[in-house]
Amino acid sequence: MAGIGVGVAAIALWFQHTDVAFIAATLGAVAWFLHYRRQIKESITPKEFDATNKEGLDDLDEEDSNAES
């Protein structure tokens, strides 16, 4: 989708339709960022994510216990 957006933007610029080119380029950039975000989310395995969250929660529990004492 990102490539299509850039291609449409290039064609629109060729025909001097700057408004269409801007919209197409913006949509292409948004599509690229969303695709990149999805790749990053998939690279983090659920096991790593859960371990990170558990460690963070354990630290919070210890801090709360120390604060109450």
Side-chain angles (χ1 to χ4, degrees):
M1 290 302 296
I4 292 172
V6 171
V8 169
I11 292 170
L13 279 176
W14 182 266
F15 290 108
Q16 298 178 351
H17 296 287
T18 55
D19 293 340
V20 175
F22 176 76
I23 292 169
T26 302
L27 291 175
V30 168
W32 180 80
F33 279 114
L34 289 175
H35 177 70
Y36 187 70
R37 178 179 176 257
R38 185 177 54 98
Q39 283 181 326
I40 295 297
K41 283 179 77 172
E42 288 176 358
S43 70
I44 300 171
T45 62
K47 183 178 177 182
E48 291 173 354
F49 184 72
D50 289 341
T52 304
N53 283 340
K54 282 185 179 181
E55 288 172 6
L57 290 176
D58 290 341
D59 292 342
L60 289 176
D61 291 338
E62 289 175 11
E63 289 175 8
D64 289 340
S65 298
N66 292 338
E68 290 175 5
S69 301

